């Protein structure tokens, strides 16, 4: 390819054809899915624009004409920023009356491209016979290639993936690139450049563009250390001497099928899911976690941990009346502020409702006994503390309210000492001086703590109910034929494993304030798993499963989510240790009102330490986001390593550690020991996950790393 015809990136436009999405763009997920497919092509594509139109021929055509006329204006010059090289439409390709995208598009095509149509159909027919229900067209208009994808995000993605490697070539030719230069070197060279493999019985493993192999291993910032899969894991450290994974080949793309009914000989031997970095995985979670719902909640302890979905203003003044701050005597301060002298006690005000309502107005020269928090008698300006007074005389008649029935002597006169500069308002809490009626006391987004400050504020001003974000209900499911209840009596038979993940994850999720439903254990059978998940999705907002996401033939989670539940897997592999096969998906479900809602499935690895680490790292941020907590996820703090830590060569590691704070305020981390993913003991006592980079050399004692805090800091003080 000559450099003059090789653009930095080809421009793609996405046209979403959907009457529903045109009314409410929030219902569309095809856009994000397709952008992802383009993004996966290593900066070859730039999605220039996306638009949503209803299933309407005129509107579809208007948009396509607009985009393709930009290409004419550019006159085949692909460096012109206006050139749209590719338009993909999604939706309206079926047999329904309203489906008319192919007709709208065909009428505009200057050239047909049946090869692309064939490519898309052939690929999706391998997935499902329902591919026959899509009627795609493809072709060229002016300098722009146009293809019509089906409407389901999954189908659209599969179709686009089937042809995307061929599209740069097609687009460049369509845009007017020199065909002779483009084809110099023959088909093999073209295949190499496209990163595809030709048929025709060529020997495998020869003549491939090696740079295209396994690029997914290297994706994303921090997604890997740039080393290929090694035969051995290095440096497990901490003296446990466990053997690591042993792998003898480097990963190679060998895409087969994820259809579990095809049996082990046809399954993928390498995960077909691109390897995302942890930060890419977290951004997928942020993007696809459903938006928080708002509910009304009573102000009581059930509010702890909830996040307010509204600003809250004080309904009342606090205090609601002028109240004394001390036990003492209410007085009317004269002009000169001098209150020394002996005064008659004319009334008593207790902190009790109604008390003092009929109290006579206090006059200068009179005083009234008053208790802490009691309302001041009308006319009173200040309160003198009882400590600043002495009793001078008592009443001769006894009042009858004493407990022993004998009555008590009442104060008649009291002397006020050393009070020659008394100010108005002294020892008085004025109305609204703590909180003014109408004042903002808590803001939208504030979280109600268990410390009590927020509940206290709400209670004080008479707010009995508030709007909060509904906290999602979580279901926890273990999977695996070998898994038995953790408390099953008797010895284990060969191959049986006690369910460690379910009790652990249920506890962790409850401790974070979420209602959890125990979904039990599902066997490794596609039908069973599907039925269990369907039922679970009716009851809960987030399903957490463990096991069944490795590469074994009984690892059915991913195919079940995609094929049986019609879900979208946003990621199925993450460059991290432990937790590589962590999977995040959303599934469309009808709620009780018949509304389509999106529910979340996290399929965590089966190994117990991996399950707990990935719960904290990935599930928690999603739960937080759904409940309005921002920023979501564990808090991050810098810590100092208390000893040398070995690093994994190729994946960043989340090392389980104990972080304590010393007398001089330094946070120091020590390892919990062997970090093998099956060793749940590595989580015992751990209050932090250290974010260790990958690399060949150990990190030395004293080095600084970031730690995600799972629990409270230990104190060495
Ligand atoms: P899988 O991904 O299903 O192959 O599981 C990986 C490993 O984790 C296997 O050794 C499983 O036996 C183990 N495992 C899976 N689920 C659990 C569980 N709930 N409790 C303890 N170990 C489990
Ligand atoms: Mg399993």
């Amino acid at each position: 390819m000559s450099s003059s015809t090789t653009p930095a990136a080809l421009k793609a436009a996405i046209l979403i054809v959907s009457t529903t999405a045109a009314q409410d763009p929030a219902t569309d997920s095809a856009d994000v899915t397709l952008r992802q497919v383009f993004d996966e092509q290593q900066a070859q594509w730039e999605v220039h624009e996306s638009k949503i139109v209803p299933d309407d021929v005129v509107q579809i055509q208007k948009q396509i004409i607009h985009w393709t006329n930009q290409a004419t204006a550019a006159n085949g010059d692909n460096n012109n920023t206006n050139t749209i090289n590719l338009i993909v439409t999604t939706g309206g390709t079926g047999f329904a009356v309203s489906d008319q995208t192919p007709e709208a598009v065909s009428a505009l095509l200057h050239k047909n491209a049946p090869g692309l149509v064939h490519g898309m159909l052939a690929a999706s027919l391998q997935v499902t016979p329902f591919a026959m229900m899509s009627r795609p067209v493809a072709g060229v208009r002016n300098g722009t290639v146009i293809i019509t994808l089906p409407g389901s995000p999954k189908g659209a993605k599969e179709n686009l993936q089937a042809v995307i490697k061929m599209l740069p070539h097609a687009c460049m030719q369509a845009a007017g690139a020199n065909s002779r230069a483009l084809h110099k070197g023959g088909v093999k060279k073209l295949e190499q450049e496209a990163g595809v493999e030709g048929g025709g019985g060529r020997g495998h493993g020869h003549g491939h563009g090696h740079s295209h192999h396994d690029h997914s291993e290297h994706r994303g910032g921090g997604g890997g250390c740039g080393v290929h899969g090694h035969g051995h894991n290095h440096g497990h450290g901490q003296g446990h001497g466990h053997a690591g994974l042993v792998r003898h080949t480097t990963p190679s793309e060998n895409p087969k099928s994820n259809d579990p009914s095809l049996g082990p000989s046809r399954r993928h031997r390498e995960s077909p899911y691109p390897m995302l970095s942890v930060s890419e995985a977290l951004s997928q979670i942020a993007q696809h976690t459903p938006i928080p719902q708002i509910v009304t909640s009573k102000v009581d302890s059930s509010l702890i941990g909830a996040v307010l979905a509204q600003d809250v203003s004080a309904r009342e003044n606090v205090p609601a009346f002028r109240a004394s701050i001390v036990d003492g005597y209410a007085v009317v301060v004269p002009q000169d502020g001098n209150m020394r002298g002996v005064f008659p006690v004319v009334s008593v005000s207790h902190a009790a409702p109604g008390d003092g309502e009929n109290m006579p107005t206090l006059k200068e020269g009179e005083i009234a006994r008053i208790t802490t928090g009691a309302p001041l008698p009308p006319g009173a300006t200040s309160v003198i503390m009882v400590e600043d007074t002495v009793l001078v005389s008592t009443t001769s008649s006894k009042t009858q309210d004493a407990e022993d029935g004998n009555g008590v002597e009442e104060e008649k006169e009291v002397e006020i000492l050393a009070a020659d500069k008394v100010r108005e308002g002294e020892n008085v809490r004025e109305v609204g001086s703590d909180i003014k009626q109408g004042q903002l006391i808590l803001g939208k987004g504030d979280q109600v703590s268990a410390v009590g400050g927020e509940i206290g504020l709400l209670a004080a001003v008479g707010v009995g109910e508030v709007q909060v974000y509904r906290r999602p209900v979580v279901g926890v499911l273990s999977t695996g034929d070998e898994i038995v209840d953790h408390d099953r009596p008797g010895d284990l038979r060969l191959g049986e494993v006690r369910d460690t993940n379910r009790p652990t994850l249920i506890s962790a999720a409850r401790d974070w304030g979420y209602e959890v439903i125990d979904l039990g254990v599902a066997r490794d059978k596609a039908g069973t798993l599907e039925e269990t998940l369907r039922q679970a999705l009716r009851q809960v907002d987030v399903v957490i499963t463990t096991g069944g996401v490795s590469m074994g033939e009984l690892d059915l989670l991913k195919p079940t989510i995609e094929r049986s539940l019609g879900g979208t897997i946003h990621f199925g592999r993450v460059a991290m240790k432990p937790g590589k096969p962590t999977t995040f998906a959303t599934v469309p479900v009808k709620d009780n009102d018949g509304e389509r809602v999106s529910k979340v499935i996290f399929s965590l690895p089966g190994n117990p330490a991996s399950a707990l680490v990935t719960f904290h790292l990935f599930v928690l941020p999603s739960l937080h986001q759904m409940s309005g907590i921002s920023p979501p996820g564990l808090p991050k703090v810098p810590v100092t390593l208390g000893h040398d830590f070995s690093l994994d060569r190729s994946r960043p590691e989340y090392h389980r550690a104990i972080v304590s704070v010393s007398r001089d305020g330094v946070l120091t981390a020590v390892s919990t020991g062997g970090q093998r993913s099956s060793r749940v003991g590595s989580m015992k006592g751990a209050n932090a996950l250290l974010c260790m980079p990958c690399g060949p050399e150990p990190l030395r004692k004293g080095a600084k790393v970031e730690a995600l805090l799972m629990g409270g800091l230990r104190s060495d003080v």
Side-chain angles (χ1 to χ4, degrees):
M1 279 175 275
S2 71
S3 59
S4 64
T5 54
T6 309
L10 292 160
K11 282 200 167 56
I14 299 172
L15 184 63
I16 292 141
V17 182
S18 160
T19 304
T20 322
Q23 277 160 5
D24 179 6
T27 58
D28 171 64
S29 63
D31 186 38
V32 175
T33 309
L34 293 178
R35 278 174 190 269
Q36 239 174 297
V37 178
F38 285 116
D39 285 350
E40 279 158 16
Q41 298 305 307
Q42 311 200 312
Q44 265 191 329
W45 294 97
E46 175 206 323
V47 177
H48 178 67
E49 203 173 2
S50 58
K51 282 265 153 56
I52 304 178
V53 292
D55 290 288
D56 176 273
V57 173
V58 175
Q59 294 204 48
I60 297 169
Q61 291 186 336
K62 238 170 128 174
Q63 187 58 50
I64 289 180
I65 289 168
H66 173 69
W67 276 331
T68 51
N69 283 358
Q70 291 177 358
T72 333
N75 199 20
D77 174 5
N78 195 47
N79 290 324
N80 184 308
T81 49
N82 283 331
T83 307
I84 304 281
N85 299 101
L86 173 71
I87 298 172
V88 296
T89 69
T90 165
T93 63
F95 284 80
V97 179
S98 60
D99 290 331
Q100 37 205 347
T101 308
E103 289 64 40
V105 173
S106 321
L108 300 178
L109 295 179
H110 298 150
K111 287 176 185 152
N112 282 310
L116 290 176
V117 171
H118 198 88
M120 290 195 283
L121 285 176
S124 33
L125 277 169
Q126 286 195 344
V127 179
T128 167
F130 275 92
M132 287 182 235
M133 297 297 105
S134 178
R135 309 174 297 112
V137 297
V140 181
R141 178 180 166 83
N142 297 330
T144 307
V145 174
I146 309 174
I147 59 177
T148 62
L149 304 172
S152 86
K154 180 174 170 293
K157 177 180 170 181
E158 282 170 1
N159 274 254
L160 181 56
Q161 279 171 334
V163 296
I164 194 157
K165 293 243 158 67
M166 295 292 111
L167 291 174
H169 188 82
C171 288
M172 275 184 279
Q173 277 202 294
N178 181 330
S179 185
R180 187 173 291 219
L182 215 53
H183 289 142
K184 209 168 138 195
V187 172
K188 272 197 181 158
K189 179 157 172 285
L190 291 173
E191 283 177 4
Q192 269 185 26
E193 281 164 1
V196 295
E197 198 176 294
R202 285 194 303 130
H204 280 277
H206 295 290
H208 293 292
H210 56 83
S211 64
H212 291 284
H213 269 279
D214 193 36
H215 53 76
S216 59
E217 292 286 336
H218 300 288
R219 281 199 52 207
C225 279
V227 276
H228 285 276
H230 275 257
H232 305 277
N233 273 2
H234 295 264
H236 267 275
Q238 285 82 46
H240 278 258
H242 290 307
L245 285 177
V246 180
R247 174 160 191 181
H248 296 283
T249 60
T250 52
S252 63
E253 285 184 7
N254 186 10
K256 291 205 168 182
S257 173
N258 75 344
D259 184 346
S261 65
L262 296 177
S265 62
R266 294 284 304 279
R267 71 185 157 92
H268 292 293
R269 308 204 84 82
E270 182 74 31
S271 171
Y273 296 91
M275 179 92 90
L276 264 56
S277 68
V278 170
S279 63
E280 286 173 316
L282 287 170
S283 83
Q284 286 293 313
I285 292 171
Q287 202 175 330
H288 297 289
T289 291
I291 54 164
Q293 308 284 303
I294 297 172
V295 290
T296 303
S297 180
K298 280 214 161 74
V299 174
D300 56 27
S301 60
S302 68
L303 206 58
I304 294 171
V307 174
L308 293 175
Q310 60 164 150
D311 288 340
V312 182
S313 308
R315 269 169 39 88
E316 296 160 352
N317 280 312
V318 180
F321 52 87
R322 296 182 77 209
S324 174
I325 294 177
V326 295
D327 292 324
Y329 297 89
V331 300
V332 182
V333 178
Q335 283 265 310
D336 62 1
N338 188 351
M339 281 299 305
R340 276 173 190 271
V342 177
F343 296 88
V345 181
V346 298
S347 61
V348 179
S349 176
H350 290 301
D355 227 52
E357 250 167 26
N358 303 315
M359 230 186 296
T361 303
L362 199 67
K363 298 190 199 66
E364 213 174 295
E366 297 175 343
I367 63 173
R369 200 164 84 233
I370 192 162
T371 55
T372 304
L376 262 68
T381 60
S382 313
V383 179
I384 307 289
M385 290 171 77
V386 68
E387 290 86 344
D388 290 341
T389 65
V390 288
L391 181 63
V392 175
S393 63
T394 57
T395 49
S396 49
S397 62
K398 293 178 175 178
T399 55
Q400 292 301 312
D401 56 358
E403 277 172 13
D404 60 4
N406 292 332
V408 287
E409 289 181 341
E410 261 301 350
E411 297 171 335
K412 189 174 171 198
E413 287 172 319
V414 163
E415 181 176 0
I416 297 177
L417 312 165
D420 34 17
K421 287 247 160 23
V422 180
R423 279 172 288 118
E424 281 203 4
E426 210 168 283
N427 293 331
V428 176
R429 284 160 65 220
E430 296 296 342
V431 172
S433 59
D434 288 344
I435 306 167
K436 283 234 157 12
Q437 189 177 40
Q439 176 190 332
L440 190 72
I441 53 163
L442 291 170
K444 182 174 169 175
D446 284 350
Q447 189 172 17
V448 177
S449 72
V451 173
E454 297 77 20
I455 291 182
L457 267 178
L458 293 166
V461 299
V463 175
E465 281 183 349
V466 281
Q467 306 263 291
V468 296
Y469 296 112
R470 188 175 73 82
R471 278 172 282 185
V473 178
V474 178
V476 176
L477 175 72
S478 289
T479 73
D481 290 336
E482 79 280 29
I483 307 299
V484 298
D485 282 347
H486 71 95
D487 53 0
R488 198 209 56 196
D491 295 339
L492 294 177
R493 287 184 301 150
L494 179 65
E496 283 183 336
V497 174
R498 291 205 189 269
D499 191 349
T500 317
N501 296 338
R502 202 160 36 107
T504 317
L505 293 174
I506 290 175
S507 310
R510 285 206 178 125
D511 188 49
W512 280 96
Y514 296 98
E515 185 188 329
V516 183
I517 293 181
D518 181 346
L519 300 171
V521 184
R523 298 294 155 217
D524 289 327
K525 287 190 188 50
T528 315
L529 195 56
E530 179 188 341
E531 195 37 47
T532 309
L533 286 174
R534 272 191 202 288
Q535 283 210 3
L537 290 167
R538 268 179 231 131
Q539 302 174 63
V540 304
D541 304 291
V542 177
V543 177
I544 306 172
T545 70
T546 60
V549 282
S550 316
M551 288 307 298
E553 72 255 34
L554 291 181
D555 290 331
L556 298 169
L557 253 305
K558 284 168 170 143
T560 304
I561 292 169
E562 284 192 314
R563 295 173 154 268
S564 312
L565 302 176
T568 306
I569 291 187
H570 302 293
F571 61 81
R573 265 200 311 171
V574 187
M576 64 180 291
K577 188 184 166 187
K580 185 161 107 173
T582 304
T583 298
F584 166 64
T586 48
V587 181
V589 176
K590 283 219 169 95
D591 69 6
N592 293 338
D593 307 328
E595 296 267 330
R596 253 169 75 106
V597 292
S598 178
K599 301 238 174 157
V600 171
I601 301 182
F602 280 96
S603 290
L604 309 182
N607 273 320
S610 313
L612 253 185
V613 167
T614 52
F615 169 82
H616 284 95
L617 200 61
F618 297 120
V619 182
L620 199 60
S622 184
L623 298 178
H624 277 176
Q625 191 175 323
M626 265 182 258
S627 28
I629 296 172
S630 179
L634 298 172
K636 218 178 219 183
V637 295
V639 299
T640 304
L641 300 183
H643 53 80
D644 292 359
F645 279 71
S646 307
L647 300 181
D648 188 86
R649 287 195 151 241
S650 57
R651 281 181 287 158
E653 185 175 14
Y654 290 82
H655 197 116
R656 284 73 84 196
I658 301 161
V659 172
S660 32
V661 59
S662 62
R663 193 174 287 281
D664 51 5
V666 175
L667 300 181
T668 305
V670 295
S671 172
T672 54
Q675 299 287 305
R676 195 157 68 159
S677 57
S678 52
R679 194 178 157 255
V680 72
S682 67
M683 284 300 263
K684 179 189 157 272
N687 60 359
L689 297 173
L690 304 183
C691 309
M692 304 301 264
C694 45
E697 299 295 330
L699 265 191
R700 297 294 172 199
K701 178 178 176 176
K704 277 234 158 65
V705 298
E706 291 194 307
L708 292 162
L709 287 183
M710 296 182 288
L713 286 177
R714 294 261 196 100
S715 170
D716 285 348
V717 179

